[in-house]
Amino acid sequence: MPRAEGRRGRRRAVPCAAVVALSVLVHWQVYTIPYLYTEIPGIQHNRVVRDLDVFASRMLGPRGLVARPLSVLSYALGWALHGDRPWAFHLTNVAIHGVNTVLVFLLADGFFRAPLVASLVFALHPLATACVSQVFGRNYSLASTFMLLGLLLHLRWRRDGTLGRGQVACLAVLGTLAVLSKQTLIVFPLVVLWWEVRATRWAALASRRAALLAAAFVAVAAGLVRFYALPLSATSPISPASFALSQLGNAAAIARLYVWPYSTAFVHDLWFYDDVWHPEVAVGALLVGTLAAGAWRWRAQPAGWLLGALLICLLPTNSVLPKNEVVREWRLYPSLAFFALLVAEAVAAAAAWLARRPGGPRAAWLPYVAAAAYLAAYAHADFRQDRIYQSETAAWEQVLARYPHSADAMNNLGLQHLRRGHLATARRYFEMAADAAPDVYVYRENLARACAALHEPDVAERYAVEAEEIRQRYGARTMSLHHR
């Protein structure tokens, strides 16, 4: 038996190592990616990251413990070890993604199908570049590590019938670590509970302890919503209800991020919706409702359960705490593991169906050939996106090319050119932003700065006065939201 286990371990180690090596090879450019956007104030100039004493004073109190202290600690420890070197932060992200890739392989190998396909889809999916190639994506990838490890252990313990108090305590610790890395991973116990309700009847729950653990975390989640998310949502430019409608209105666009490799971008300036009867909201509600109904109907099947787990991971993405964007790619990272497992299930099912048809084993290879071609497109998209991230200017230019209405992209491009002394170009972008979002004072303030640098004091003064008038009228609005 030990020899058999050793051989099986070696059989696992070789493909795992190959997939991780391929992921590293595809993302070899990350070491030259600089700090981007909010990483400059959030890491490079952040005293909480630069000084461990400041971290201890600010992050180990009641308020700090609900603000992803474990992820911030990883940045602070990294800074203490290697200082102001963005490449080191990126390489740490690559390593975390590699660990998660191995966990996906082990989940597929033990409980689903086609582990090599699942791990390759997860390792190479372009959505993962947000957590590999952007430093702040670590919040989600690190939290996903604890979630995937906890899920793997839970499934193994349930299979072996050994889910005792010690195992439940271990799951509670891993769930806590996930939440301390990123608050939205409070859904981990719901994923565990979803595994338990695969039985036909609720009364047939396989584990009371697992159900109690999930209930306890739901109570904690309610506390986070009540005392953290809702107070912060009061500072959002739109209400949680409008944000929920916006998630539905953009459901098809978000789904495209999973299936189309060349749809990634630094920021997705998607539309906001206020009307529950808008056609796109109705279509999104129909899409989400159909997926949820299918997941429940086939929950006892691997594909149905994986689809439900994917939807559960999307629940807290933005719907409770509205942001200025409907979606950022790194928020989709935890669900990406279940998408990869779902794709592997589909490939394996298609191969098994073809094997039973005329042509037999030869035809059974076709789904794997198609998957290989799709993965090649993934790899190319990763390589291209990492190249774009070499420059924040290129990243914002990509956003503007895909979302021509994005005043925020126009403004940030203006700031990039202003820092480089390209004053005329900066002025042109600031003018575009001010025209696209006439109720945002910041854009006119920046336009005044550019005109002053161009030695046009009268024009600069006029824009400064307009900026103050807008600020008095609309308040501290700093970003334009595009409604439908």
Side-chain angles (χ1 to χ4, degrees):
M1 184 65 69
R3 289 184 178 180
E5 286 296 325
R7 286 195 297 270
R8 188 178 182 188
R10 286 192 291 273
R11 286 198 301 269
R12 286 174 170 175
V14 172
C16 278
V19 173
V20 172
L22 181 59
S23 176
V24 172
L25 179 63
V26 167
H27 289 291
W28 70 270
Q29 299 176 97
V30 296
Y31 79 96
T32 58
I33 296 176
Y35 297 115
L36 297 172
Y37 197 29
T38 54
E39 293 168 2
I40 297 173
I43 292 181
Q44 190 177 27
H45 299 152
N46 189 351
R47 291 184 61 216
V48 175
V49 171
R50 295 165 63 99
D51 191 327
L52 288 173
D53 290 335
V54 176
F55 168 85
S57 64
R58 294 190 185 180
M59 300 301 295
L60 299 184
R63 295 185 64 180
L65 289 176
V66 295
R68 52 181 175 79
L70 197 57
S71 294
V72 178
L73 177 62
S74 75
Y75 301 134
L77 292 176
W79 190 281
L81 289 172
H82 53 69
D84 187 12
R85 294 180 175 87
W87 62 265
F89 287 106
H90 288 299
L91 292 184
T92 302
N93 284 16
V94 171
I96 293 172
H97 184 59
V99 171
N100 292 340
T101 298
V102 172
L103 291 173
V104 169
F105 181 96
L106 295 176
L107 279 167
D109 186 58
F111 304 95
F112 302 100
R113 289 188 287 181
L116 187 60
V117 175
S119 58
L120 282 169
V121 170
F122 181 80
L124 301 178
H125 199 292
L127 277 180
T129 60
C131 290
V132 176
S133 311
Q134 298 179 40
V135 179
F136 266 169
R138 185 186 305 176
N139 305 331
Y140 289 87
S141 61
L142 182 61
S144 296
T145 301
F146 298 117
M147 178 189 73
L148 293 173
L149 178 58
L151 181 62
L152 177 63
L153 292 175
H154 174 70
L155 267 57
R156 285 182 174 178
W157 290 332
R158 293 297 299 120
R159 180 187 60 193
D160 300 337
T162 59
L163 189 64
R165 293 179 180 178
Q167 286 87 352
V168 171
C170 180
L171 292 178
V173 169
L174 289 171
T176 302
L177 293 174
V179 174
L180 292 177
S181 301
K182 186 59 189 176
Q183 307 93 318
T184 54
L185 266 292
I186 195 69
V187 297
F188 164 64
L190 296 182
V191 175
V192 170
L193 181 62
W194 178 237
W195 181 262
E196 298 297 327
V197 300
R198 292 175 303 140
T200 304
R201 297 184 303 275
W202 281 87
L205 280 177
S207 170
R208 291 184 179 180
R209 289 193 179 102
L212 290 174
L213 176 65
F217 268 81
V218 168
V220 174
L224 280 174
V225 170
R226 170 64 180 83
F227 298 106
Y228 175 72
L230 290 181
L232 280 182
S233 70
T235 66
S236 172
I238 63 171
S239 68
S242 294
F243 216 94
L245 290 179
S246 301
Q247 294 283 46
L248 292 175
N250 290 284
I254 294 172
R256 188 168 60 249
L257 294 175
Y258 289 94
V259 299
W260 176 241
Y262 299 99
S263 58
T264 52
F266 191 42
V267 168
H268 295 277
D269 199 355
L270 300 176
W271 296 97
F272 287 81
Y273 296 86
D274 294 318
D275 185 2
V276 69
W277 302 113
H278 194 285
E280 293 181 13
V281 174
V283 170
L286 179 63
L287 173 62
V288 173
T290 300
L291 294 176
W296 177 256
R297 173 65 178 82
W298 290 288
R299 65 189 182 279
Q301 303 299 320
W305 185 85
L306 289 168
L307 179 58
L310 188 155
L311 294 174
I312 288 171
C313 285
L314 292 179
L315 281 175
T317 302
N318 278 322
S319 57
V320 173
L321 180 58
K323 303 284 187 178
N324 286 332
E325 306 156 52
V326 175
V327 66
R328 282 295 291 265
E329 289 174 10
W330 51 42
R331 298 173 192 150
L332 305 179
Y333 185 92
S335 65
L336 191 57
F338 301 110
F339 175 80
L341 292 165
L342 190 60
V343 171
E345 280 289 322
V347 170
W353 181 81
L354 288 172
R356 296 191 296 268
R357 309 293 292 179
R362 291 184 179 179
W365 281 101
L366 291 177
Y368 292 99
V369 172
Y374 200 42
L375 289 167
Y378 278 4
H380 178 261
D382 292 341
F383 183 84
R384 190 182 71 165
Q385 199 64 31
D386 285 345
R387 177 167 292 180
I388 289 173
Y389 288 149
Q390 303 296 313
S391 162
E392 188 170 337
T393 300
W396 285 113
E397 286 174 344
Q398 183 189 52
V399 173
L400 191 58
R402 294 183 174 174
Y403 306 98
H405 59 275
S406 177
D408 192 44
M410 300 168 191
N411 180 68
N412 280 286
L413 282 169
L415 290 173
Q416 295 296 314
H417 287 286
L418 186 64
R419 295 189 188 106
R420 298 176 182 178
H422 305 157
L423 302 180
T425 304
R427 175 178 180 171
R428 179 168 58 84
Y429 278 117
F430 291 141
E431 288 174 341
M432 292 168 58
D435 290 340
D439 57 348
V440 178
Y441 78 93
V442 173
Y443 303 156
R444 277 179 167 72
E445 277 190 347
N446 290 334
L447 186 52
R449 290 171 56 194
C451 291
L454 286 166
H455 306 293
E456 299 179 13
D458 294 339
V459 180
E461 177 63 23
R462 175 165 58 84
Y463 282 128
V465 171
E466 290 179 2
E468 180 59 25
E469 291 174 350
I470 293 170
R471 190 183 68 82
Q472 293 294 334
R473 189 181 313 137
Y474 294 103
R477 183 178 301 182
T478 59
M479 184 176 179
S480 175
L481 303 180
H482 310 284
H483 290 268
R484 280 181 174 171

